[in-house]
Amino acid sequence: MTWYRNAGTRLLLNSRVSISSEPLSSNKQSSKEPQREPISPYSQAANRTNRIISLFRGLYAKPSSAIGTTIFLIFLTVALFGPLIAPYGVNEQIAADARQPPSLQHWFGTDNLGRDVFTRVVIGARDILALAGLGTLLAVVCGTAFGLLSGYMGAWFDEGLMRLFDSLLAMPALLLSLLLLGILGPSRSSVLIVIVIVYTPIVARVVRSVVLSVKTRGFVEASRLQGESIPYILFREILPSTLPALTVESALRFSYAIFLVASLGFLGVGVQPPNPDWGLMVKEARVHVFQIPWAMYFPAGAIALVVIGVNLMSDGIKRVWQKSG
Amino acid sequence: MNTITKDQSPTLIIEDLTVAYRYGDLLLDAVRDFSLQIAAGQTYGLVGESGSGKTTVAMAVMRYLGDTGVVRAGKIEFDGRDLLSLNTSEMRQVWGAEMSLVPQNPLSSLNPSIRVGEQLSEILRHHQGLDRETARVKTLELFRMVQLPDPQWVADSYPHQISGGMRQRVLIAMALSTTPCLLILDEPTTSLDVTTQASILDRMSELIIDLQSSILYVTHNLGVVAQICDRVAVLYAGELVEDAALEDLFRMPLHPYTQGLLDSVPHLGETKDEVQLGAIPGQIPALGARPEGCVFEPRCPLAIQICSQRPPIISTNNGRKVRCHRWEEIASGSISAREIPREFKKEGTEITLDQYENEHGDTILDLRDVEVHFPLRRSIREVIITEPARKVKAVDGISLSLQRAQTLGLVGESGSGKTTLGRAIVGLVERTNGDIDLFGISLPPALSRRDFKTLHQLQMVFQNPEQALNPYLSIGASMRRPLMRLAKKSRREADKEVANLLKAVQLPPDYAFRMPNQISGGEKQRVAIARAFATNPGLLVADEPVSSLDVSVQASILNLLNELQIEHETTMLFISHNLAVVGYLADVIAVIYLGKLMEVSRSQDLFKPPYHPYTEALLSAVPIPDPSIQQGRIRLKGDVPSPVNTPSGCPFHTRCPHFLGDICVSKKPVWQMDANGNRIYCHIPVEELGAKQKNMIKQE
């Protein structure tokens, strides 16, 4: 409930206060002296860190987003420190231990080739989070640029670009990816390109809609009257206003990108064996599902958990941003 | 219904009502110890600025507070029953049948997917058990009662198909349909144009007399109160500060806040040369930041030691109530919050418009036949038969000139094209025809083709201060840019200049480090004005700079604009829908209707005949916050015609009260000049107009 209290203290600023609520006698003590927010030249930078801190506070204020954020942070740690955590080599085959159920030696068991499933899931997290993360980041950058330009310029430029994006959006994401991978050939960089192409139009549309509402506001018009250049107006005046919507959209795109990478792996057109890709692991273990089900359940569970975690987190971000306006 | 109103007990009794809103685990009082009694058949005005709690009171009476609102203490007694003890199903019998509400926003209060007539007859069927056919007949009757033109057509329309004024009439008809004994009107005319507002208020005061209902009229507009109410309660920061009969309140306000409020609005016909507006310093305290003593103490010019204690509500002679420690001194006249007694200086500087223009010599801005037409999208059929696109004629041939250091007030109702003209001058919209000269040099229509020297000379203040500043840039950063970009100053010089500018608009220099969400609306508008004056522009376009501000803040912004303009010798185009505000600030007033000028007058002459028939109607429609002033009564029929198909001949002929006949329809009028050099666009000779028209504002 911390962020509620923040909203409360903001209301209490500036003056002597009379509060009529019973449980808050503590506020009355400080109410005699006029309070003012500390103002310094650094307040802008301070603002920014404050905003990140308050975002996390907000996320941990509700159980659903707290769980989501925790899940995401755990997977992020696992991805970052993967090699330190993993007990075995990724492709290390211990023939004697093949097809072992989960045990103390092999937490998630071993697959039919005697590889440790836990190790492969841990190392696989690096791959999938990096691919999905980098892909989303590039898509967000491209989408923001296109969305800003398209929304601000309007007229034929907007019309042309949006029709192109519409035609990309008309195709189901997976079908479009398969088509593109068919052309590019399966590899990590191809998957990256696919994510960028599939998600850029969506991000661009979100940014464009914000730009359309912001560009008629007084501050944008005032900067036009000051003779500001288009890049200045786009990036200094308009871009900050798109950030709340953009953050929420990026988090959502990220969860879908994880899903997409896993799906492509499963279909065998994404990351190639023997890399420990989660989707690929599910595909390989699918054949032996009745003999060694753990080899399939653990990577599949990891996919589900990350996607759910990121989704819950993005819901939380949305809630927090909307609360703070 | 008359049986109820005959007995003497009040319809509504509110006693010591305290309403709080929940913020997280805080409960913040929005209204404190509020008491009120409305007698049967009485019209009670509830006046206050935004944040004063007036709507909260109305909603508490309706039991509409929502999930966050809590009645913490007090009693609401309606028609002998304790309202707060009723449950929802019992309330449902009260709502609509005995107590109804006319809300502020007519569009969001009507269901967009149900025909208007059906929405009304549903109420009749539910509360009066009428069958479908009788309900329909009664609906049409009610529509006729509120003077809706063509009731049959309105009943069959959806809300989006009828105009704002018509929607508000529908809502009034709904509220009256069950002849309730209490009618709550929450700013019912605030979103309407003055001419529409005037005709609705007229009808409403007639209905009030007919129906004998008690009325709680919630508004911020003192002029409307003066026109319609019997008694007025003034709210400030959630507390009742004064409660008096209408005449008493306006003749002798006892609370310093009421005095300030009355002094801060310009009256119709007052000009800046004659009257100084009394601005109340500071702003209304936020919810939860209210002083423990007298709520008005921080802003009160009369505050003394004792004012840090909360004053009780005191009943004075003839039923007045006031919450002030010093009311006796105020009543005796020994102290007053009013700085200068307000009076009309009858004879001002009597120079005619020609003389004025000659005297000021330098023409800064010259508009010749400026047109701004927006083409509409053509349908496929129109494209195929190559029909030219129809156009919205927002500005349709306007010629004007502004002299150095002059303020030209551009006044018109919504849709008149006043804002578009202002935007065409600064270049935010491109004009489609005509010439605009600034300092004798022709301005290109497109903003991108104008050089820095031109931009330097042309600045604008926008209507909505909430949107005028980038929420992600500090005040200093926003203000620095024009200095660095247009005045080519270094960062250090610009920062120094920002401090000076902040001082000029009476803000402390440390505001440069604040973010826009840390300052109030009035302060934002000051910053926006400072930014506009940063480059010392030759021409400033101010587009409704005070219309979204509270009246007590409005006055200080008007005073500020006036001071800065005199100091910088800036020429100003001041755009507003508020005739009193324009009349106060402007030297010359141009009245615009459907994209065309109707009249150009010296401001002190605008309020005397002869005037253009449209000006005449506007003047009679403006509610004047002074019940002692007799206003002429001219009401326009119908709504403003669509700017796509503007009427032929004189654009005003469809609504003109002095309509002559064919000549007005077929022939465009010519500009005529009256004895004082004021120009009127009308077929009727000025002498004849002058003879026909009376003075619209007469003091008794």
Side-chain angles (χ1 to χ4, degrees), chain A residues 4-5 8 11-13 15-24 27 31-32 36-37 39-41 43-44 47 51 217-219 221-222 224-229 232 236-237 240-241 244, chain B residues 23-29 32 72 287-292 297-298 423 426-428 447 452 455 459-460 462 467-474 481-482 485-486 510 513-515 518 531:
Chain A
Y4 274 145
R5 213 160 286 140
L11 284 163
L12 300 174
L13 287 173
S15 169
R16 287 161 298 162
V17 191
S18 72
I19 299 168
S20 51
S21 126
E22 297 78 19
L24 281 144
N27 273 328
S31 64
K32 271 288 157 211
R36 273 201 166 178
E37 229 158 303
I39 298 298
S40 78
S43 65
Q44 227 179 322
N47 259 353
R51 216 181 286 158
R217 294 204 183 145
F219 66 88
E221 296 191 328
R224 286 177 63 197
L225 292 181
Q226 286 157 22
E228 300 290 3
S229 63
Y232 180 87
R236 286 307 301 273
E237 299 282 354
S241 301
Chain B
Y23 281 91
D25 30 72
L26 286 178
L27 271 178
L28 302 175
D29 286 354
R32 259 207 296 184
R72 293 206 321 119
L287 210 61
R290 296 198 170 150
E292 282 181 43
E297 185 251 342
R423 292 167 65 84
V426 294
L428 288 172
L447 191 61
F452 273 18
L455 295 175
Q459 283 299 316
M460 185 160 176
F462 296 92
Q467 300 191 346
L469 300 172
N470 192 333
Y472 296 90
L473 289 179
S474 70
R481 280 307 291 190
R485 183 86 183 159
L486 292 177
D510 71 345
F513 305 117
R514 291 203 177 194
M515 299 303 280
Q518 294 168 321
R531 180 178 60 187

Side-chain angles (χ1 to χ4, degrees), chain B residues 318-338:
Chain B
N318 53 29
R320 295 186 73 159
K321 284 191 236 163
V322 63
R323 197 191 279 278
C324 179
H325 288 295
R326 307 187 75 187
W327 73 271
E328 278 172 311
E329 293 167 81
I330 296 172
S332 68
S334 60
I335 55 166
S336 174
R338 321 183 102 159

Side-chain angles (χ1 to χ4, degrees), chain A residues 4, chain B residues 19-28 56 59-60 62-72 88 95:
Chain A
Y4 274 145
Chain B
V19 184
Y21 285 108
R22 217 186 297 270
Y23 281 91
D25 30 72
L26 286 178
L27 271 178
L28 302 175
T56 304
M59 291 300 131
M62 283 300 273
R63 299 267 319 270
Y64 270 180
L65 280 171
D67 298 336
T68 51
V70 186
V71 175
R72 293 206 321 119
T88 314
W95 284 329

